């Protein structure tokens, strides 16, 4: 393993660090758009992914479908199952990233998911292939610091940020452990619960971000339960990045309800990207309109 | 990962990376690993609580007052010790080995599950938790959990797959009568693994006041070790009872295995007794070759699910496969991590029995011994029927009668083409 690069080098060279530096310069929160890889079918998913930067996504979180997504609420569970039924796998998710990178070499892309598919793929092969495909970061929900040594050193060697999660249950002692091998940014799970359900009140998020900032210089992204324009704007006034997932993924379900037959799904794609546009706009102007 | 040739069970040594020392009973290590398996693969939200549970359990385990209280309830409420019964008619019928039943079916609530629930509810109280959640497949763990919650006046929510609710209606009604809220799980395949997913989702949202009573020797550390410790009373009693009956150790011990709590409970006190052959019977469903089975060790590969690494039924992409068994209690695509380790080091033999043979075991035990076994335990009976005739008359075989079969009468009737 080559460890000749310092942490500082990593922080300065990647797409994630560059994007956060630019956002800081603009004094605004970044909009992180979450969608599930391969949902609802490979081609539609590709059109959605390719369209997100144009719809204002500063970062993209691409969900790696898993049969048993324990930290996800109904919307993302359903997205995962739809994708798997349409033939998605870890391999097709990496293919999707590869195709995206042909058109976009700037937007940071983070894969989010569960450990088992990576473990089966083979951790070293996976980080190799992910790095070549153009992945910038990994969020593995069920790989806490206690087990992260299985993946973290290999990801770091390939220059992929291993993004850590902090939660309302993370006290100062725990944060020390979480932050000890964090890079890229810190993802704050703002509610006790699964994705797309409850929402945290403004004061709680403010307090949490202040607390986290006292422990780390990493940018803080806040996610879970951010569904409306108002909620997105509120979080964007506080956090360095604002993550929206279920509210986008739900547009896929809605579009399928309207046109259940496979075929032309351009209306679904447009509807989801419109939703992303609305939310990203709210995030973009949150601080200037509040001022 | 431990490797090595298959060992004759009379030999002394079992290869292992770090737990070899002098005992196979010292696991897991301080990070909750049994060889390659085990660990704590959970969402960060749960980690502080998991660490609290570990600390609280460690303190309780060493606290004589806690152990006294547990012993009191096991004796006066559960009805322990239960008998080690010499099944003479079945022994005669099978020929060969002499068969004993460890009668966990005679426990209050009709299965071994209550041993663990009693331990965990006392721990939950000690930790000041105000609410209990649990998952259940056949409903036996759900009933045992609802029972201890009624006894200690704690509200509880039981997650159960919608498919299982349909095939285990009497147990659903029992849980509701006991005051539990039974939540139907419709996500995924609507069976035990999905019930566990939803219980974990509940727990993430309720960490502050809720204790999760996991029903088997799986989940994040410390659950596999804790549930094993609470179930080990089965094997400890067998040891004393066999000594009293025959003046020696048994030659073999057999148990059915899904997650593996009844099996580890009866095996664990004997792990270091190399003369005792340990055999666990997985559910082969329609046959392992059909893909419709629940035999995780026979047909699975190592993977990570529900907080631990262990053998799992999964496809090459790491997506978890559906399990199948006529017995809802064995219908799970994983197995406890300690079993995966015992499989790797070849201390326990893991075999399997089909739905069809389990049904035969169910019938023969009912007819010859007047004991209606759970469909889960019937898997062990079916394997005993195969193995016993090959063994000498002085071979002492203990079979864990993990539960009674009243709950399965509808399933058995429909499999036999009888309408009730």
């Amino acid at each position: 393993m080559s460890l000749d690069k310092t942490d500082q080098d990593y922080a300065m060279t990647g797409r994630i660090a560059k994007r956060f530096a630019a956002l800081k310069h603009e004094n605004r929160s970044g909009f992180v758009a979450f969608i599930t890889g391969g949902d609802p079918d490979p081609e539609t998913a590709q059109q959605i992914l390719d369209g997100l930067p144009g719809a204002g996504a500063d970062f993209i979180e691409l969900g790696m479908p898993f049969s048993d997504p324990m930290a996800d609420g109904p919307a993302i569970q359903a997205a995962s199952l739809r994708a798997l039924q349409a033939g998605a796998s870890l391999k097709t998710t990496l293919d999707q990233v590869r195709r995206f990178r042909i058109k976009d070499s700037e937007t940071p892309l983070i894969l989010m998911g569960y450990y088992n598919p990576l473990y089966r793929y083979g951790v070293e092969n996976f980080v190799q292939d992910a790095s070549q495909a153009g992945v910038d970061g990994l969020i593995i929900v069920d790989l806490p610091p206690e087990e992260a040594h299985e993946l973290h050193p290999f990801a770091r060697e390939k220059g992929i940020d291993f993004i850590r999660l902090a939660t309302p249950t993370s006290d100062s002692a725990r944060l020390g452990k979480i932050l000890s091998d964090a890079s890229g940014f810190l993802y704050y799970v703002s509610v006790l619960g699964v994705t797309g359900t409850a929402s945290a009140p403004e004061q709680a998020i403010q307090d949490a971000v202040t607390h986290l900032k006292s422990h780390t210089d990493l940018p803080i992204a806040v996610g879970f339960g951010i569904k409306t324009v108002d909620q997105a704007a509120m979080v964007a006034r506080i956090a360095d990045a604002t993550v929206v997932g279920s509210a986008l993924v739900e547009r896929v379900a809605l579009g399928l309800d309207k046109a259940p037959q496979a075929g032309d799904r351009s209306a679904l794609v447009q509807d989801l990207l419109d939703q992303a546009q609305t939310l990203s706009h709210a995030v973009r102007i949150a601080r200037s309109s509040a001022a | 990962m431990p490797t090595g040739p298959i060992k004759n069970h009379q030999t002394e040594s079992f290869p292992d990376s770090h737990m070899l020392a002098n005992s196979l009973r010292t696991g897991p290590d301080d990070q909750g690993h049994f060889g390659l398996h085990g660990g704590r693969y959970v969402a960060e939200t749960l980690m502080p609580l998991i660490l609290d549970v570990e600390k609280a359990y460690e303190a309780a385990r060493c606290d004589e007052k806690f152990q006294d209280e547990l012993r009191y309830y096991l004796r006066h409420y559960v009805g322990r010790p239960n008998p080690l019964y010499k099944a003479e008619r079945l022994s005669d019928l099978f020929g060969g080995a002499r068969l004993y039943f460890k009668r966990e079916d005679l426990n209050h609530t009709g299965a071994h599950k209550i041993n663990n629930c009693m331990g965990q509810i006392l721990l939950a109280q000690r930790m000041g938790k105000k609410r209990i959640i649990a998952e259940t497949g056949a409903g036996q763990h759900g009933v045992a959990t609802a029972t201890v919650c009624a006894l200690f006046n704690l509200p509880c929510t039981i997650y159960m797959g919608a498919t299982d609710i349909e095939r285990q209606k009497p147990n659903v009604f029992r849980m509701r009568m006991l005051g539990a809220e039974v939540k139907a799980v419709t996500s995924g395949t609507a069976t035990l693994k999905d019930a566990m997913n939803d219980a974990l989702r509940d727990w993430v949202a309720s960490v502050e006041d809720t204790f999760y009573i996991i029903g088997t020797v799986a989940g994040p550390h410390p659950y596999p070790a804790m549930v094993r410790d609470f179930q080990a009373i089965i094997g400890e009693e067998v040891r004393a009872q066999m000594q009293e009956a025959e003046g020696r150790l048994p030659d073999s011990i057999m148990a059915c295995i899904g997650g593996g709590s009844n099996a580890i409970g009866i095996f664990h006190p004997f792990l270091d007794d190399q003369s005792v052959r340990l055999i666990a019977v997985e559910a082969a469903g329609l046959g392992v070759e059909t893909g419709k089975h629940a035999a995780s060790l026979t047909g699975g590969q190592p993977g990570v699910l529900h907080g631990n690494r262990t053998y799992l039924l999964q496809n090459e992409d790491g997506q978890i496969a559906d399990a199948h068994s006529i017995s809802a209690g064995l219908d799970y695509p994983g197995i406890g991590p300690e079993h995966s380790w015992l499989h790797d080091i070849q201390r326990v033999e893991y075999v399997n029995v089909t739905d069809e043979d389990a049904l035969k075991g169910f019938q023969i035990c009912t007819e010859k011994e007047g004991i209606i076994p759970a469909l889960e335990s019937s898997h062990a009976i079916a394997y005993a029927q195969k193995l016993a005739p090959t063994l000498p008359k002085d071979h002492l075989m203990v079979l864990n009668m993990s539960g009674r079969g009243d709950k399965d009468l509808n399933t058995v009737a429909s499999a036999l083409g009888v309408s009730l």
Side-chain angles (χ1 to χ4, degrees):
Chain A
M1 197 189 317
S2 80
L3 286 172
D4 46 336
K5 282 191 179 181
T6 65
D7 290 1
Q8 194 62 28
D9 290 330
Y10 283 111
M12 294 312 293
T13 52
R15 291 186 193 97
I16 292 175
K18 273 191 198 146
R19 184 56 49 100
F20 273 113
L23 289 165
K24 193 169 183 183
H25 189 71
E26 293 175 46
N27 184 29
R28 68 175 183 89
S29 185
F31 177 63
V32 185
F34 173 96
I35 57 164
T36 298
D39 174 35
D41 63 72
E43 278 315 307
T44 309
Q46 193 70 48
Q47 289 168 27
I48 293 169
L49 178 61
D50 292 352
L52 281 173
D58 297 300
F59 302 83
I60 293 165
E61 250 186 54
L62 188 62
M64 299 177 277
F66 183 48
S67 53
D68 295 79
M70 280 157 290
D72 285 302
I76 294 176
Q77 286 175 41
S80 230
L81 283 184
R82 281 194 302 267
L84 291 173
Q85 276 159 10
S89 66
L90 196 45
K91 201 176 152 299
T92 64
T93 303
L94 291 176
D95 289 341
Q96 198 181 341
V97 176
R98 239 173 251 122
R99 285 177 65 188
F100 172 76
R101 278 284 172 245
I102 295 169
K103 295 180 180 167
D104 185 307
S105 58
E106 300 293 321
T107 309
L109 188 144
I110 296 121
L111 291 179
M112 181 166 191
Y114 298 81
Y115 186 44
N116 197 51
L118 278 67
Y119 181 68
R120 285 290 292 158
Y121 194 102
V123 165
E124 288 183 75
N125 286 339
F126 172 77
V127 293
Q128 171 77 36
D129 292 354
S131 165
Q132 281 177 356
V135 170
D136 303 294
L138 288 175
I139 300 176
I140 308 301
V141 176
D142 53 355
L143 210 56
E146 279 75 1
E147 309 291 351
H149 56 90
E150 293 191 25
L151 176 60
H152 178 260
F154 301 106
R156 177 149 277 207
E157 191 191 337
K158 294 289 170 199
I160 295 177
D161 284 317
F162 190 73
I163 288 143
R164 282 265 160 243
L165 300 149
T167 78
T169 61
S170 311
D171 60 18
S172 294
R174 186 71 196 159
L175 270 180
K177 183 129 188 152
I178 291 168
L179 288 164
S180 65
D181 56 6
S183 64
F185 59 92
L186 183 64
Y187 187 126
Y188 180 62
V189 174
S190 62
V191 294
L192 293 177
V194 293
T195 52
T197 50
S199 305
E202 179 165 6
Q203 193 58 50
I205 294 176
Q206 180 67 66
D207 292 349
V209 170
T210 305
H211 177 64
L212 296 173
K213 291 268 182 198
S214 73
H215 282 80
T216 182
D217 293 332
L218 287 174
I220 313 287
V222 173
F224 278 49
I226 303 167
K227 285 179 274 192
T228 66
V229 163
D230 287 347
Q231 286 166 341
M234 177 269 280
V235 172
R237 284 191 288 273
I238 303 167
D240 299 310
T242 307
V243 188
V244 177
S246 297
L248 294 177
V249 163
E250 273 164 3
R251 308 309 293 189
V252 177
L254 219 65
L256 292 175
D257 282 349
K258 284 183 194 157
Q261 300 305 319
D264 183 18
R265 286 177 169 166
S266 54
L268 182 159
V269 174
Q270 197 50 54
D271 176 56
L272 190 151
L273 294 177
D274 286 348
Q275 172 81 343
Q277 186 76 60
T278 306
L279 289 159
S280 70
H281 181 70
V283 168
R284 192 172 289 264
I285 64 164
R287 289 186 200 165
S288 48
S289 62
Chain B
M1 194 171 148
T3 52
I6 293 177
K7 294 282 170 183
N8 177 309
H9 283 268
Q10 265 64 48
T11 59
E12 287 291 315
S13 69
F14 291 91
D16 182 43
S17 50
H18 64 278
M19 268 184 265
L20 183 62
N22 299 308
S23 175
L24 299 174
R25 301 183 62 203
T26 56
D29 67 16
D30 58 4
Q31 297 298 308
H33 295 110
F34 298 93
L36 175 70
H37 307 281
R40 286 177 287 219
Y41 299 85
V42 295
E44 180 56 38
T45 310
L46 290 178
M47 271 312 298
L49 180 58
I50 296 278
L51 295 169
D52 277 356
V53 171
E54 182 187 350
K55 225 181 283 169
Y57 173 60
E58 200 46 41
R61 201 170 63 88
C62 306
D63 180 350
E64 223 16 71
K65 254 181 72 189
F66 177 86
Q67 296 295 347
D68 281 347
E69 196 180 6
L70 179 55
R71 268 191 292 271
Y72 171 85
Y73 283 107
L74 289 177
R75 176 159 179 205
H76 296 285
Y77 189 75
V78 174
R80 305 202 72 92
N82 55 41
L84 181 69
Y85 163 74
K86 192 171 187 181
E88 303 207 46
R89 293 200 66 210
L90 269 190
S91 301
D92 289 346
L93 179 75
F94 294 169
R98 301 282 93 189
L99 194 56
Y100 281 83
F101 290 164
K102 179 57 177 165
R103 297 294 306 276
E104 293 299 308
D105 60 317
L106 293 179
N107 291 342
H108 180 44
T109 71
H112 71 289
K113 292 292 185 187
I114 190 115
N115 302 331
N116 166 49
C117 290
M118 194 55 82
Q120 287 200 47
I121 195 101
L122 293 178
L123 182 64
Q125 285 197 308
R126 195 180 156 102
M127 293 180 72
K129 299 296 180 185
K130 303 288 180 226
R131 173 177 174 261
I132 301 294
I133 55 171
E135 84 295 337
T136 196
Q140 290 306 99
H141 175 59
V143 167
T145 303
T147 298
V148 296
C149 288
L151 177 65
F152 292 100
N153 193 31
L154 284 173
C156 84
T157 301
I158 308 287
Y159 288 89
M160 188 168 183
T163 308
D164 291 335
I165 286 185
E166 198 46 47
R167 57 180 171 176
Q168 301 287 342
K169 280 182 185 157
N171 269 347
V172 175
F173 187 61
R174 282 167 86 191
M175 288 184 268
R176 289 186 171 140
M177 291 292 291
L178 288 161
E181 177 193 17
V182 180
K183 279 203 176 164
V185 176
T186 54
S187 61
T189 53
T191 57
L192 179 54
K193 84 172 168 77
D194 308 291
M196 199 150 177
N197 289 338
D198 267 16
L200 284 164
R201 289 177 185 126
D202 179 313
W203 209 22
V204 168
S206 63
V207 278
E208 280 153 352
D209 68 343
T210 298
F211 190 94
Y212 181 11
I213 299 188
I214 295 181
T216 192
V217 284
H221 178 64
Y223 281 94
M226 174 168 71
V227 176
R228 173 201 70 201
D229 292 350
F230 290 140
Q231 292 293 1
I233 190 163
I234 305 172
E236 285 157 15
E237 286 179 7
V238 166
R239 210 178 169 92
Q241 289 168 322
M242 188 57 95
Q243 193 64 38
E244 196 182 315
E246 302 275 357
R248 66 179 182 92
L249 294 176
D251 298 301
S252 61
I253 300 177
M254 199 172 290
C256 65
I257 188 162
S261 68
N262 93 82
I264 205 80
I266 198 166
F267 291 165
H268 198 259
F270 295 95
L271 286 181
D272 291 332
D273 298 294
Q274 308 292 352
S275 69
V276 182
R277 191 173 161 186
L278 304 174
I279 303 164
V281 187
E282 294 193 296
L286 304 180
V288 172
E289 70 288 351
T290 66
K292 299 235 174 251
H293 63 89
S296 318
L297 288 178
T298 310
Q301 293 89 30
V304 173
L305 181 72
H306 294 153
N308 63 128
R309 177 163 31 226
T310 194
Y311 283 85
L312 299 172
L313 301 180
Q314 54 182 317
N315 70 13
E316 59 182 18
D317 186 42
Q319 309 298 337
I320 307 305
D322 299 341
H324 168 86
S325 170
I326 190 169
S327 139
L330 303 182
D331 202 349
Y332 179 69
I335 189 166
E338 191 165 14
H339 285 292
S340 288
W341 173 67
L342 290 168
H343 170 76
D344 287 346
I345 65 166
Q346 294 160 353
R347 172 61 184 100
V348 176
E349 296 167 56
Y350 294 87
V351 298
N352 56 79
V353 153
T354 61
D355 288 352
E356 196 184 340
D357 286 348
L359 268 171
K360 287 182 192 152
F362 179 96
Q363 289 168 277
I364 203 161
C365 182
T366 304
E367 283 167 24
K368 299 296 174 192
E369 293 290 352
I371 294 170
I372 302 179
L375 273 174
E376 290 80 5
S377 322
S378 300
H379 286 73
I381 296 164
Y383 195 75
Q385 186 169 12
K386 280 183 205 167
L387 188 62
T390 71
L391 298 166
K393 291 247 181 245
D394 61 352
H395 182 104
L396 301 177
M397 177 184 285
V398 177
L399 184 152
N400 198 3
M401 186 61 70
S402 55
R404 67 176 185 227
D406 310 54
K407 69 184 174 62
D408 295 315
L409 291 176
N410 283 325
T411 307
V412 172
S414 102
L416 298 176
V418 178
S419 68
L420 293 182

